[in-house]
Amino acid sequence: MAINFASPVTDHAGAPSCGQLRELDEEIIELLRRRRALVRELPAPAGPRGVDPSFAEAVRDTIARYHEELGGGSELVARAILVLCDPGDRA
């Protein structure tokens, strides 16, 4: 699947359609698949994440970045992505 970053939904003539939303969902799913694959190539965590200061900092940075870019409610998205793409999840 080719992901086209150059043509956001707003470039389409007229109002957005359900088909365009489905296309965006497919792109998001593919990006998350790629992110998960990259994260799984990282070394597995040595211990519990709750006591890992570098992980805690990465979580704070990711959540702050999503909030800056997407605004309110994005913390939930960032946390969901962090859980989905946890390097300790090898299933």
Side-chain angles (χ1 to χ4, degrees):
M1 163 183 237
I3 299 174
N4 185 357
F5 295 105
S7 62
V9 170
T10 55
D11 284 352
H12 297 287
S17 70
C18 290
Q20 290 168 323
L21 292 173
R22 277 191 297 275
E23 287 176 22
L24 283 175
D25 287 339
E26 290 302 320
E27 291 177 17
I28 292 166
I29 290 166
E30 181 58 28
L31 287 170
L32 287 172
R33 252 190 220 119
R34 287 175 42 203
R35 188 184 199 287
R36 180 184 249 184
L38 288 172
V39 166
R40 286 184 174 171
E41 291 179 19
L42 297 172
R49 289 295 193 186
V51 296
D52 182 350
S54 63
F55 181 73
E57 182 180 342
V59 168
R60 280 192 302 274
D61 290 348
T62 301
I63 290 169
R65 186 167 161 226
Y66 271 72
H67 184 73
E68 288 170 14
E69 296 294 326
L70 299 173
S74 58
E75 178 179 345
L76 296 174
V77 174
R79 289 182 184 277
I81 289 171
L82 289 166
V83 169
L84 178 68
C85 301
D86 184 347
D89 178 19
R90 304 290 179 189

